[in-house]
Amino acid sequence: MRRPFRSRTPPDAPLPAPGGLPAEPNRFVGRDAELSEVVRLLGESRLVTVVGVGGVGKTRLALRAADQVQKRYCDGAWLAELAALRDPELLDHALAEALGLTDHSGRPPRRVLAEHLATRRALLVLDGFEQLIDACGALVAELLRRAPGLRILAVGRRPLRVAGETTFTLAPMAERDAVTLFTDRATAGDQGFRAEGERLTAVRELCDRLDRIPLALELAAGRLHALSVEQVLDRLGDRFRVLTEGRRDAPARHRTLRTAIGWSHELCTPEERLLWARLSVFAGPFDLDAAEYVCGGPELPADDVFDVLAELISQSLVIREETPAGTRYRLLETVRAYGAEWLDALAETDRLRGLHRDWYLGLAAWYELDWFGPRQAEVAAGADSALPNLRAALELCLENPEDAHLGRHLAGTLWFYWVGCGRLTEGRLWLGRALALDSPSDGARLKALWVLGYVAVLQGDSAAAVGALHECREEAARSGNGPARAYAVHRLGCLALLSDEMDRAERLLRSALDAYRELGELNSNVLMGQVELALALVFQGDLDAAVELCAEVREICEDSGERWTRAYALYVLAYAAWTREEHARARTLITESVAIHHGFRDRVGLVLSVELLALVTASEGDPAEAAVLQGAATRLWRSVGPPLFGSAYFGAPRVRCERYATELLGAEEYRAYEEEGRGLSADATARRALAHRPPAPAVPRRPPSGGRGRARGARKPADSPTTRGGESAG
């Protein structure tokens, strides 16, 4: 006779509280928002699956959530740990064991489980199911169908893909929570540990470099008995060797960081492992096209990359993100480092790095072409997203002198990003490195030279600019490279403009523009040359000619969709409108200029526009707001270079505004408002500039000594300050 199914608990024993959740081994830290969301989802869905990369804290969060809601379930909350299982046939037995069930009746375990749960209201936590995902999915579907009072909280690298499933992806910890967790665990081993001062800075860096993954942080904290925080940081080049100790009572798959990630690796298919290794060549976010080009090959056709990538995403090994540049993918650094080791083992690292470099060389060239057109904002966003990978490509180019020409080509091709998107300092770094390598003169070297000169001009480094631009012009003349010579002459004209040499600037800029026309060259650089010529004319008093030039630029920009150069043309048109006392028109023009420059993060254009807007604001009768904008511009100049480029002409709006606002407010009040402006960030400055509405005029609308530009050929704008030597510019 078969023995009937019964509980393990003897009938005369005191009944324990329903449930089988383990006690927490230590303090639960952070995750307040995530915890609340999982609890909410459990109230709405009968199956919630928490997914995430290995070591991110999925199990701990799930158990905490189960503990918070277990009172809702009169038959308890139970944990079934499945990670050690490999045989699908043992799955039903493991669940029965977790529920404290024994049955010697010979009935199938699935039937026992279903009958036991059919009339019960319970929560079942399934942890570590991914290696048995098909079997587990089928079991979950059947149990949910046959037990209406059952809710399941599953924990794994990928969703179960069962009807009615709600997925919650657990990301790495926020920085504040990560620091708190690390400090808490470090203090447990050393009561004297304090995260303060320089040590706090080191702890923050350590948390970031470990991707703020709780397992990695706990393992790192466990090393502090032998190493300082700084020493752990120094050794993170081989994080899998450093982080080798964990709790002895932790699951085997969590005892080392290598094992935690390796656990995920073992569960991947050969194609998934191969793609994981190849994706490790990416230094930051990448798109599908890049992955297909770089990672495709005979063993993994490019057409199959997406399907395999999707599986890695479902396993939380690859993160999918929506960015301003579109959909992007990335690996957490810990996952990437593990993949890189496998790529080395496959002896594919050099080949993949070469493919990666080639892709980003092509992408930069494509972006340069697209910069002159309606996709400028998309190009800027794309370059921002690709920057870590562009850096990696540049590094590879410059590692080998034989590839130096590729490094110069890439650094020069990215001129639009260095100049147009606020990356002057980094651009100069890469250009300098590329040009420092010995190699014969070629088109790539010439381009890098004039781009370096351009960057140096905008940074106010006249000596470096002159050296690079003269070298470029001379080598271009010897080699017959017309475009390079035109660009060098153009940038020499720009340097003359910022150096208050208006006659020379006009001559050089006209020469460059003539050369561009002969060459059939038309792009953002060419249009910028026309704007710079217009500035030279404005500063010499020829407003009509300047307005005509910029009106033409504006029309071309509208036809082509170009916005970056358009913003500079608007600056000139606004300057001319203010000079003609057309203040409302000047405000409309310069406000649009501010918006465009801020969108591209072009600090040079932004600070010039803000200063002109301050003058317009003062002219409209709001000296207090004008003083605030002046102070904000002062702060912006710190991130640009020498204030006003050291130019009396470019400094004229500031001098006029300060003089007028001070007369109306008094020196002390003006300084107070200006100090307020110095506290504004670039974002806050742009918001304030774009939101301001001029008040009704309560003071004279025309600043002292304002008015129309001087006669053509004048050496100094009206009311411009004296030069640095104390002598007039005339």
Side-chain angles (χ1 to χ4, degrees), residues 158-238:
R158 66 178 85 183
L160 282 164
R161 294 176 179 167
V162 172
E165 179 182 37
T166 298
T167 302
F168 177 81
T169 301
L170 184 61
M173 301 186 87
E175 180 178 300
R176 182 176 180 179
D177 285 348
V179 170
T180 302
L181 175 65
F182 181 89
T183 304
D184 182 85
R185 302 305 189 249
T187 304
D190 177 5
Q191 293 298 316
F193 182 87
R194 296 290 183 272
E196 300 171 344
E198 294 183 359
R199 178 180 283 176
L200 176 58
T201 301
V203 168
R204 286 172 175 161
E205 182 182 352
L206 179 62
C207 291
D208 287 339
R209 290 184 61 185
L210 290 175
D211 296 317
R212 303 186 301 282
I213 294 177
L215 172 62
L217 298 175
E218 296 205 19
L219 294 174
R223 301 297 284 164
L224 296 187
H225 70 280
L227 300 170
S228 68
V229 176
E230 292 76 9
Q231 287 173 318
V232 174
L233 271 172
D234 290 340
R235 287 161 174 77
L236 279 187
D238 184 359

Side-chain angles (χ1 to χ4, degrees), residues 442-444 446-447 472-473 475-487 519:
D442 57 11
L446 294 177
K447 185 170 188 176
C472 179
R473 183 172 64 175
E475 290 188 12
R478 283 195 295 270
S479 62
N481 190 320
R485 185 178 186 280
Y487 284 114
L519 293 165

Side-chain angles (χ1 to χ4, degrees), residues 184-343:
D184 182 85
R185 302 305 189 249
T187 304
D190 177 5
Q191 293 298 316
F193 182 87
R194 296 290 183 272
E196 300 171 344
E198 294 183 359
R199 178 180 283 176
L200 176 58
T201 301
V203 168
R204 286 172 175 161
E205 182 182 352
L206 179 62
C207 291
D208 287 339
R209 290 184 61 185
L210 290 175
D211 296 317
R212 303 186 301 282
I213 294 177
L215 172 62
L217 298 175
E218 296 205 19
L219 294 174
R223 301 297 284 164
L224 296 187
H225 70 280
L227 300 170
S228 68
V229 176
E230 292 76 9
Q231 287 173 318
V232 174
L233 271 172
D234 290 340
R235 287 161 174 77
L236 279 187
D238 184 359
R239 64 189 66 204
F240 300 118
R241 177 178 61 81
V242 175
L243 307 182
T244 55
E245 294 184 1
R247 302 192 328 270
R248 290 184 177 86
D249 61 340
R253 69 187 190 277
H254 281 186
R255 286 186 188 150
T256 70
L257 186 60
R258 179 188 294 278
T259 308
I261 304 301
W263 167 256
S264 296
H265 192 265
E266 290 174 9
L267 297 174
C268 289
T269 65
E271 292 79 10
E272 291 165 1
R273 293 178 189 176
L274 180 60
L275 182 58
W276 179 351
R278 290 179 174 176
L279 289 176
S280 70
V281 77
F282 289 100
F286 55 89
D287 61 15
L288 180 59
D289 289 340
E292 290 175 336
Y293 178 87
V294 175
C295 301
E299 312 90 339
L300 182 63
D303 291 343
D304 294 344
V305 166
F306 174 73
D307 290 336
V308 182
L309 179 65
E311 287 302 313
L312 293 177
I313 293 170
S314 72
Q315 297 170 47
S316 304
L317 292 167
V318 174
I319 309 299
R320 179 182 183 273
E321 299 174 325
E322 294 302 323
T323 74
T327 302
R328 292 293 185 270
Y329 309 93
R330 67 179 177 88
L331 282 73
L332 294 177
E333 178 56 27
T334 306
V335 174
R336 192 205 65 78
Y338 192 92
E341 288 191 359
W342 278 90
L343 193 64

